[in-house]
Amino acid sequence: MGAQLRVYKRRIKSVTATKKITKAMEMIAASRIVKAQRQVAASGPYATELTRAVTAVATGSNTKHALTTEVESPTRVAVLLITSDRGLAGGYSSNAIKAADRLIERLRSEGKEVDSYLVGRKAVAYYNFRERKVVESWTGFTDQPSYGDAKAIAAPLIESVLRDTAEGGVDELHIVFTEFVSMMLQSPVDNRLLPLSLDAEALEAQEESHGKGEILPLYDFEPSAEGVLDALLPRYVESRIYNALLQAAASEHAARRRAMKSATDNAGDLVKKLSRLANAARQAEITQEISEIVGGASALADASAGSD
């Protein structure tokens, strides 16, 4: 076997092994998307009803609460960025990071200082490489988040909102994550979680209720509206962060499935190309061997004729 043919066969074997790996990763990601979609759908009603309850308390009373009161001139904000722990998902993490960079640039242009909170090793590595300051980070659960993870993330964020800005607190809380739209489309978005936009949330809840023919209930607050807000608003932040983590996980699996399918298809095309080249090299070797045999036979025949 010629050297060129051995090179082609070695490359075909390597690409075939890679194709098997990418195909397996594609199938794993496809199986996890279904579970992630179910979790996103299951978290929706809870988040909707909780938002409605918080809005009812805030709009049905004159209570001024730190988590619902707009600051006239906000000077410091917190941004929570959600990416993945692992790669091989196309531009999933990089798109979320770019969206966060655009948000941070806009906030800074408004004269606000930004505290960064990160979820996922990709975001942590990105910020560490550029030596950017990070207040807190979380890793190890982006592909399968739990409500406990959302609570762990929400606790320091709520604390920073309740703390005075002179003591390192923030006036606003923003979150950047990738929204799962469909199997083929995942879009990075940025939302402001706190302070709660009461008018927009109330209007959304009322429109949804009227659309379903529901009658909005009346509420009595015990022990007080402020006490109810103290209990509900942390749950509201946790549920919104949990929903964002689930959306991001579903988007990550969809992006990885798409990336691995593309890699598998490319590997298959490369194997076909290398196989054609290997066949051409083998045919060239056979043709050369036949030419050498024919040439040798002709040389022997000429030598025999000369001796006679």
Side-chain angles (χ1 to χ4, degrees), residues 102-288:
R102 289 193 295 268
L103 173 63
I104 292 173
E105 184 178 354
R106 176 172 61 82
L107 293 172
R108 286 176 176 169
S109 67
E110 297 172 358
K112 302 173 183 176
E113 296 183 34
V114 178
D115 289 347
S116 297
Y117 294 80
L118 308 178
V119 175
R121 292 190 179 94
K122 291 298 179 181
V124 173
Y126 179 86
Y127 274 65
N128 287 343
F129 181 76
R130 287 158 180 79
E131 297 182 350
R132 296 183 182 179
K133 183 180 178 182
V134 177
V135 178
E136 198 163 347
S137 62
W138 300 267
T139 60
F141 54 81
T142 58
D143 57 340
Q144 293 180 331
S146 65
Y147 195 82
D149 299 322
K151 290 184 66 174
I153 296 171
L157 292 172
I158 296 174
E159 182 183 354
S160 65
V161 173
L162 294 175
R163 194 185 312 127
D164 189 81
T165 53
E167 300 176 355
V170 298
D171 299 317
E172 296 178 357
L173 170 59
H174 297 257
I175 181 172
V176 180
F177 65 98
T178 304
E179 182 181 16
F180 182 84
V181 181
S182 66
M183 293 288 289
M184 298 303 298
L185 179 61
Q186 301 83 43
S187 176
V189 296
D190 62 88
N191 295 330
R192 195 187 77 170
L193 294 187
L194 296 175
L196 181 64
S197 299
L198 297 178
D199 294 338
E201 298 287 356
L203 182 60
E204 180 181 352
Q206 289 177 2
E207 288 180 351
E208 183 178 353
S209 298
H210 288 311
K212 296 179 179 179
E214 299 178 3
I215 299 176
L216 293 177
L218 298 176
Y219 293 92
D220 289 329
F221 308 121
E222 294 183 1
S224 64
E226 184 176 2
V228 174
L229 282 175
D230 287 338
L232 282 181
L233 278 170
R235 306 289 86 76
Y236 163 78
V237 176
E238 292 169 5
S239 67
R240 291 292 295 271
I241 291 178
Y242 182 52
N243 183 264
L245 289 173
L246 293 177
Q247 294 261 9
S251 299
E252 178 185 348
H253 294 316
R256 181 168 291 112
R257 186 200 66 83
R258 190 167 61 252
M260 291 300 98
K261 184 180 186 306
S262 177
T264 301
D265 294 341
N266 292 338
D269 294 340
L270 185 56
V271 167
K272 292 179 181 178
K273 180 180 178 181
L274 291 173
S275 297
R276 285 195 295 267
L277 293 174
N279 291 336
R282 184 165 177 265
Q283 186 64 41
E285 289 183 5
I286 293 172
T287 302
Q288 183 179 357

